[in-house]
Amino acid sequence: MKKLTLIAFLGLSSLAFSQDVKNLPNKGNQKTALIVPTEQKELEAKKKAAEEKAKLPKPYNPKADAQADINKLVAQAKKEGKNIMIQAGGNWCIWCLRFNNFVQETPELKNLVDKNYLYYHLNYSPDNKNEKVFAQYINIKEQQFYPFFIILDKDGKKIHVQQSEVLEEGKGYSKEKVKEFLEKGKVL
């Protein structure tokens, strides 16, 4: 009798705690019915980021000969008396694309870049990691967060490496901090 009572209790318990997916508003679609709200928000955020990324210009060229490009920029920088700003990252990086677009679409910032720098996008991607080029300026064995910026003087010597997180604000960049960075070549 105890066994029968125990089996009946377990059977009724499992029925009481089971989920009746058929009665949910989405007509039994378990994928949607079982997603918790935070997972749904994450999926929506990823979708929005992908849509944003698709709309932004893609300034990185994985096929470029970065060393040859930088050599040409150094020669040009000597003639023009400008520094070189290298933005390290890739077209896969939403923050890299956001920074480039922010600078290009904000007249005050674009003028600062055009006046003071030759601006180059150094690609890092599975297609082309540019390890030899990066090794000239950073320790490639350390983890990097993209984008980051390498500022060279007109002779091609490294002046500063700037991480971008100090320039961020919300889902974008702070105009004041980016302006300070472009004026001084660094923000600490």
Side-chain angles (χ1 to χ4, degrees):
M1 186 70 173
K2 285 183 180 178
K3 285 185 182 179
L4 186 57
T5 306
L6 184 60
I7 291 172
F9 177 74
L10 290 174
L12 289 172
S13 297
S14 64
L15 271 175
F17 291 107
S18 67
Q19 198 177 62
D20 187 6
V21 175
K22 292 178 186 173
N23 292 333
L24 293 176
N26 61 2
K27 299 179 183 166
N29 182 346
Q30 289 183 345
K31 288 181 183 176
T32 307
L34 299 178
I35 292 179
V36 270
T38 53
E39 290 175 340
Q40 186 66 34
K41 287 180 183 177
E42 287 176 15
L43 288 173
E44 289 172 12
K46 286 181 182 179
K47 182 181 175 185
K48 284 182 182 178
E51 290 170 355
E52 177 187 2
K53 192 187 298 185
K55 293 177 185 176
L56 293 171
K58 309 296 184 283
Y60 295 91
N61 181 359
K63 296 179 183 177
D65 181 342
Q67 188 61 62
D69 291 347
I70 291 170
N71 292 344
K72 288 177 190 173
L73 288 173
V74 170
Q76 184 181 347
K78 285 180 184 179
K79 290 178 188 173
E80 296 180 21
K82 293 182 177 181
N83 288 339
I84 299 167
M85 181 173 71
I86 298 172
Q87 181 179 325
N91 294 328
W92 52 267
C93 167
I94 188 70
W95 285 96
C96 301
L97 302 179
R98 283 177 180 160
F99 186 87
N100 175 69
N101 193 61
F102 183 61
V103 168
Q104 299 303 321
E105 297 294 322
T106 308
E108 183 178 6
L109 300 178
K110 182 164 178 19
N111 289 337
L112 280 170
V113 169
D114 293 345
K115 178 182 172 189
N116 299 309
Y117 300 96
L118 300 176
Y119 188 16
Y120 185 72
H121 294 84
L122 178 56
N123 183 75
Y124 177 86
S125 68
D127 297 336
N128 187 354
K129 294 181 179 181
N130 281 307
E131 290 173 319
K132 288 181 182 178
V133 177
F134 278 109
Q136 297 173 59
Y137 309 112
I138 63 166
N139 179 352
I140 60 171
K141 293 181 182 179
E142 291 180 4
Q143 182 178 2
Q144 302 301 319
F145 298 96
Y146 297 92
F148 66 90
F149 305 92
I150 304 165
I151 305 296
L152 308 178
D153 68 12
K154 65 180 180 172
D155 297 316
K157 293 181 183 166
K158 179 178 77 173
I159 298 172
H160 182 65
V161 175
Q162 178 68 56
Q163 298 301 316
S164 66
E165 67 266 8
V166 298
L167 307 174
E168 294 173 10
E169 185 175 82
K171 298 255 184 211
Y173 290 93
S174 162
K175 183 178 176 183
E176 293 76 29
K177 290 177 184 175
V178 173
K179 182 179 175 185
E180 178 185 349
F181 166 59
L182 295 175
E183 288 173 342
K184 297 178 181 178
K186 63 181 168 181
V187 173
L188 302 173

